[in-house]
Structures are given as structure tokens and as C-alpha cells.
Amino acid sequence: MKNEAPRAVPGENSSSFLQRLRSFYNRHRDGVIGYSLLAPMFVFFAVFSLFPVLFVIYLAFTEWNGVLGLPKWVALDNFHRFFTTGDYLVTLLHAGLYGLLILVGCMSIGFFIALLLNQKVKGVGLYRTLWYLPVLVSFAVVAQIANAVLDPVTGLARKVMERFDMEPIIFQQSVFWMTFWLILISIWKGIGGTVIIYLAGLQGIDTTLYEAAKVDGASRFKIMLYVTLPSLRPITMYIAIMGIIASFQIFEPVQLLTRGGPQGHTNIILHRIYQDAFQSFNMGMASASSVMVLLFTFTLTMIQYRISQRNQT
């Protein structure tokens, strides 16, 4: 039978109740202190994480403009619109495609940069810092620089093309070029974190494995193929899982660089959610899309996790 905190009984002497309370505290002192320390964190989690998630799930089944009146229950209408209106599935596909290209770029380039930075050369600490600096720079600043360079009238890119007698390109009207710059800038902005993680993994590999491979006469390529890559498999899977989650959270590059253009070809699901919520004031549809993104991301993450676990066994 579980111990319960003492309760005051009507007519009970206050001193007797305080004695029982003190006795309960002495018996469960560690637990009381522990839960007291954790209580602020539980409250913070409930107010800023749990409640918003539950409220979004509720709004997904309603129609509400977020300002006037109360949410109107519409059952599965928002989810039906999500799957029958091609717009939402296309933006979801865009997010997955862009996220995949950015993830592949960050992982492949970041791995080879980490290999170079793992060498014992003079000034390697400075090089590591320089590669990580873009992560610390706000995307708003990066977007302002990119917009200044790509400006169709006064941009640096236009001036360079005119200098070499090239036909100026209006990047903002080209689906290919805006997609290219979107992916390139995102890779440049996020590659520093991948480099640091891979670098930590490389420094954690047992050096005796390399020594044994060299004794067997293995080339550098074979050492990387049969020693380095297998040793980094858990880290690679971690980066891939986190990359999948991040791919459906891309918002700033699209909002600050392309705004979904040209003609909606660079629009992604998170930007569409923003448009529904804060431009069309359709909180129900925005919440339904958010729930679908959550389920889709969770499903992909679990599939990849299962595959990684199977490969390790």
C-alpha cells in the first residue's frame, strides 16, 4: 500500500498534524527534495510544450480564425482538405526533397572537411572555428547579404556578369536558380554542426584499428572504407535522423529568400502553415498541417531508427 501525505482531520490538534507532516518529510526526504527541484521544470514543460501540442491537436479538428469567437468543430474536414488539395502534398514533397538534398550535401561535404580538420597541421583550431562560424550567424543576416548579391538591379552578381559581358540573370524569376541558392546557402549555414559531430567521432576511433590496417598493408581508401566509415555508423545515423527532423522545419530560408516563389515552386510545408495561420488566419488548417508533419516526421524517424538498429545487430 502506497504511503500518502498526512491529511488534517477536523478537530485534530495543529501540533499533532505538524508532527505527522514532519515525520512524513523525514521518511521521504529525498523524494520530496527531488520533486521540489523538478517541479519548476515540469510546470515549464506543461505550459510551453505539453499544452501547446494538445491545443494544436484540438484545433486541427476545428475552424477558427484565431481572433474572434470560439473554435468551431469540423471533425476531419481539415485533414480531408490536406489530402485532397494538391497544394499541401506538393509543399510536403518540396520540404522532403530540399531537406534530402541539404542533408546529403551537409553529410558528404562535412565528412570530408572533418577528415581534413582531423589532421595535425598548424592552425587547425582556427580552421575549425571558421567552418563553425556560419552556424552562429543569424539567417536574417545571411538572407540580407544574399538578397543584396542577387538583387536584379544593383546586385553584385549582376555587376559581375555585366563586367564579363554576360547576359544578366534575374534569379528571382528562375525556379532552378532560386532552388539552387536556397539549397547552397542552407548547406553553407548548417555544415559547421555536421563537421563538429564528425570530427568528434573521428577523434573517438580507436587508433589501434588504423595501426592494424596499416600493418596489413591497407591503402588509405580501404582504411576509410573498412575502418573509418563503419566506426562512424552510429554518428552518421544520428546526423541522418536529426536531418530528417530538420528537413521538415525549414522555414527561414524560404521566408527570407524566396517567399515560396517563383510561382510557389519553392514553397514548403512549414511556410504554407505560416501562410494559413498568419496570412489567411485559418488556424484549423494550419494546425491540421502541423499534426500531419508531426506524424510524417515521426514515422520516417522510426523507420530509419529501426533500420539502424537492424544494421547494428
Side-chain angles (χ1 to χ4, degrees), residues 156-285:
L156 177 63
R158 181 184 178 91
K159 293 184 180 301
V160 171
M161 286 185 285
E162 290 177 347
R163 178 67 178 80
F164 291 95
D165 297 326
M166 298 171 60
E167 185 69 23
I169 301 174
I170 303 178
F171 296 103
Q172 288 76 5
Q173 295 181 1
S174 171
V175 176
F176 168 79
W177 281 112
M178 290 314 294
T179 303
F180 171 79
W181 290 117
L182 182 69
I183 294 174
L184 180 65
I185 294 174
S186 298
I187 291 175
W188 174 80
K189 182 74 171 62
I191 198 172
T194 305
V195 170
I196 293 298
I197 295 174
Y198 268 131
L199 188 59
L202 288 171
Q203 294 178 350
I205 298 177
D206 190 356
T207 56
T208 57
L209 297 176
Y210 291 114
E211 294 172 0
K214 290 179 181 179
V215 170
D216 291 340
S219 63
R220 290 187 177 182
F221 177 76
K222 289 187 176 181
I223 290 175
M224 183 182 69
L225 188 63
Y226 295 107
V227 177
T228 304
L229 291 179
S231 300
L232 293 178
R233 183 178 298 168
I235 291 179
T236 301
M237 295 308 302
Y238 168 78
I239 295 175
I241 291 174
M242 297 304 296
I244 289 177
I245 297 174
S247 66
F248 293 97
Q249 296 178 346
I250 300 174
F251 173 74
E252 289 179 309
V254 175
Q255 174 66 11
L256 298 175
L257 291 175
T258 69
R259 295 187 181 276
Q263 301 176 356
H265 286 90
T266 61
N267 201 8
I268 58 176
I269 186 64
L270 209 62
H271 189 258
R272 181 55 193 266
I273 292 173
Y274 166 80
Q275 291 174 319
D276 283 338
F278 301 107
Q279 294 181 359
S280 303
F281 295 99
N282 189 347
M283 297 297 176
M285 195 62 225

Side-chain angles (χ1 to χ4, degrees), residues 280-299:
S280 303
F281 295 99
N282 189 347
M283 297 297 176
M285 195 62 225
S287 299
S289 301
S290 300
V291 171
M292 292 308 305
V293 171
L294 173 64
L295 294 176
F296 193 74
T297 305
F298 177 78
T299 302

Side-chain angles (χ1 to χ4, degrees), residues 31-190:
V32 172
I33 294 175
Y35 283 112
S36 299
L37 294 174
L38 293 175
M41 186 183 66
F42 287 148
V43 173
F44 181 87
F45 173 78
V47 173
F48 294 101
S49 295
L50 182 60
F51 173 75
V53 169
L54 296 177
F55 189 58
V56 165
I57 295 175
Y58 166 72
L59 288 181
F61 298 93
T62 66
E63 181 180 328
W64 188 43
N65 62 12
V67 180
L68 300 176
L70 296 174
K72 178 184 176 183
W73 186 263
V74 294
L76 297 176
D77 287 358
N78 292 327
F79 293 98
H80 180 265
R81 182 183 173 188
F82 183 91
F83 287 104
T84 56
T85 304
D87 238 6
Y88 294 96
L89 294 178
V90 169
T91 55
L92 187 66
L93 180 62
H94 285 171
L97 179 60
Y98 292 161
L100 179 62
L101 293 175
I102 293 170
L103 176 61
V104 171
C106 284
M107 290 181 65
S108 55
I109 300 174
F111 171 72
F112 286 105
I113 293 175
L115 284 177
L116 295 176
L117 295 179
N118 195 41
Q119 306 300 317
K120 294 181 180 180
V121 294
K122 188 176 181 179
V124 66
L126 176 61
Y127 300 142
R128 294 172 183 174
T129 304
L130 291 176
W131 276 108
Y132 191 74
L133 275 180
V135 179
L136 306 177
V137 180
S138 170
F139 214 108
V141 177
V142 176
Q144 289 296 326
I145 297 174
N147 288 328
V149 172
L150 303 178
D151 188 275
V153 179
T154 62
L156 177 63
R158 181 184 178 91
K159 293 184 180 301
V160 171
M161 286 185 285
E162 290 177 347
R163 178 67 178 80
F164 291 95
D165 297 326
M166 298 171 60
E167 185 69 23
I169 301 174
I170 303 178
F171 296 103
Q172 288 76 5
Q173 295 181 1
S174 171
V175 176
F176 168 79
W177 281 112
M178 290 314 294
T179 303
F180 171 79
W181 290 117
L182 182 69
I183 294 174
L184 180 65
I185 294 174
S186 298
I187 291 175
W188 174 80
K189 182 74 171 62

